[in-house]
Amino acid sequence: MNKIILILLAVLLALTAAGISSSASKKITAPSASLKAGSDGQPQIVHLNTAARDPKIFYTLDRKDPTTHSRQIIRGIPLHQSTTIRALSSSSSRSIGQVSEFTNTVETRKSIARKFLSFTDHSIPYRLFIPDDYTPEKRYPLVLFLHGRGDRGSDNTRQLLGSDGAAVWASLDVQRKHPCFVLAPQARRSYDGGFSVTRDRHNRLNPSTAFQESKDGRAAYEIVMKTIHSYSIDRTRIYATGLSQGGFGTFTINAEHPELFAAMIPISGGGDPGTAAIIKDKPMWIFHAADDQTIPVSYSRNMVHALKKAGAHPIYTEYPPSMKIGHGAWVPAYKNHEVMEWLFQQRMRK
């Protein structure tokens, strides 16, 4: 009897040991990553996930293989530059998964700017972004960006680096969902340079010229037309946006060529109330900060009032003084993903 009991105990112990060995060697689901490109100055938060039960995820950022003694992810991994992540999962049953590797990309204005082609035409330089998947068999939207007074010049770079006005449309985040061309001309640095001439020779705000089409504004129009004829552009989805002096220019170029643009986003600028009836049917989202000391908010308020009086329904966002934005309404405006989605939904009415 004792011999039988000993045999049964030996068998039970063997089965138990086999079960432990099987559990330890069983590979659990490897981690997967939620990779989303970050924006300039903003870290990318990478989240690692696994289907393992009660998992722990360990990772390294130096390309070395992780172990259960490596750093453990609790929430997300904030990354400020392009990085390779190596990770593994470990469950409560001590099961260990395979090592997974992910390479993320954190974009900056400079990295995006390098993707723009460089040209000069109609007396001014300009930059053009062409979608990665471009093919003549498909038609693409086009976004025209008009910069502000401070980014005038001839280096053909400042209009891309001075704000997110051009780069945001060429970012991976936007291009994945809405492949589009981005056109960014650069106005001349001279007394009458700019997509509107907002100031006189003494640097005083001059409403009499701010609402007139400028030489650079006409050049921007010609470059848009050249791009349309050179590439496969969707004529029903051409958009204009601009800030400050370019915000005035956005209103002006739409009033001068109302048949061209499907929608517009003027920021920290203003329009001629006398042209409200011309653009009243055009979708537009206008931005301004109430505490703007450079271009008074009254310029946008007056235009919005005239547009509504003409029967238009503009979207108007005015940032309150408590936000202390001043002459920089484009910073939050171009970070608003709702604005991006809204723009690409607009089409020229036939």
Side-chain angles (χ1 to χ4, degrees):
M1 179 67 69
N2 289 339
K3 184 179 292 186
I4 294 175
I5 293 175
L6 289 173
I7 293 173
L8 290 174
L9 285 173
V11 172
L12 181 61
L13 288 171
L15 291 173
T16 302
I20 293 175
S21 175
S22 175
S23 174
S25 62
K26 182 181 179 181
K27 294 182 179 179
I28 62 175
T29 306
S32 61
S34 60
L35 297 180
K36 182 178 180 182
S39 60
D40 193 27
Q42 299 293 323
Q44 173 188 358
I45 306 299
V46 178
H47 297 278
L48 300 183
N49 306 288
T50 179
R53 187 174 182 179
D54 300 322
K56 293 181 180 179
I57 301 177
F58 302 89
Y59 69 96
T60 61
L61 302 178
D62 56 5
R63 293 183 177 271
K64 293 181 179 179
D65 283 340
T67 68
T68 53
H69 298 292
S70 300
R71 283 180 288 184
Q72 181 181 348
I73 187 168
I74 304 300
R75 296 182 180 85
I77 308 172
L79 300 177
H80 292 269
Q81 60 185 3
S82 297
T83 307
T84 296
I85 305 170
R86 294 177 65 80
L88 63 79
S89 303
S90 174
S91 74
S92 57
S93 63
R94 297 184 181 181
S95 299
I96 297 177
Q98 293 179 325
V99 173
S100 297
E101 181 175 298
F102 316 96
T103 299
N104 84 308
T105 300
V106 176
E107 292 188 297
T108 66
R109 284 183 205 155
K110 287 185 178 180
S111 67
I112 296 174
R114 288 193 288 268
K115 301 178 184 179
F116 280 72
L117 302 179
S118 180
F119 300 97
T120 297
D121 202 359
H122 295 279
S123 75
I124 63 173
Y126 68 95
R127 301 292 291 272
L128 178 66
F129 176 85
I130 300 175
D132 289 340
D133 69 346
Y134 175 70
T135 171
E137 287 70 39
K138 177 182 175 182
R139 295 196 177 278
Y140 298 78
L142 168 66
V143 179
L144 170 68
F145 169 66
L146 302 179
H147 64 76
R149 191 168 185 269
D151 293 330
R152 296 174 303 165
S154 58
D155 64 355
N156 211 8
T157 300
R158 291 178 63 91
Q159 77 270 36
L160 299 182
L161 301 182
S163 73
D164 286 333
V168 66
W169 310 103
S171 67
L172 287 173
D173 199 22
V174 172
Q175 288 290 321
R176 284 191 188 109
K177 298 181 67 176
H178 308 288
C180 66
F181 281 72
V182 186
L183 182 60
Q186 185 178 33
R188 297 165 298 121
R189 185 176 291 280
S190 63
Y191 153 66
D192 64 343
F195 300 114
S196 65
V197 184
T198 55
R199 295 182 179 273
D200 61 22
R201 294 181 182 273
H202 305 289
N203 199 31
R204 294 175 300 201
L205 199 59
N206 187 358
S208 65
T209 59
F211 299 144
Q212 298 175 5
E213 185 180 35
S214 67
K215 180 178 180 180
D216 293 331
R218 289 191 294 273
Y221 167 75
E222 295 296 337
I223 292 170
V224 170
M225 298 308 295
K226 178 180 179 178
T227 305
I228 291 173
H229 291 126
S230 300
Y231 300 93
S232 182
I233 305 297
D234 185 345
R235 292 293 298 265
T236 70
R237 301 179 71 198
I238 301 174
Y239 311 114
T241 182
L243 59 89
S244 191
Q245 201 175 58
F248 282 94
T250 300
F251 274 114
T252 302
I253 198 171
N254 274 271
E256 292 288 337
H257 309 283
E259 77 293 341
L260 181 59
F261 298 98
M264 54 191 280
I265 304 175
I267 307 174
S268 302
D272 181 0
T275 64
I278 300 175
I279 58 175
K280 65 181 181 66
D281 295 324
K282 190 179 299 292
M284 62 187 80
W285 195 331
I286 305 166
F287 291 85
H288 217 124
D291 62 340
D292 193 331
Q293 299 299 311
T294 303
I295 303 295
V297 69
S298 58
Y299 278 92
S300 285
R301 289 176 179 173
N302 292 341
M303 190 59 180
V304 169
H305 176 75
L307 285 165
K308 290 182 176 179
K309 189 175 180 180
H313 301 282
I315 304 174
Y316 178 49
T317 297
E318 183 176 303
Y319 297 112
S322 60
M323 293 183 67
K324 298 181 180 180
I325 290 175
H327 191 53
W330 55 85
V331 176
Y334 286 134
K335 292 186 183 299
N336 187 335
H337 291 284
E338 185 180 348
V339 175
M340 314 291 139
E341 295 303 316
W342 171 85
L343 185 70
F344 289 109
Q345 290 174 7
Q346 310 309 315
R347 294 180 181 274
M348 177 64 74
R349 300 174 183 175
K350 297 181 180 180

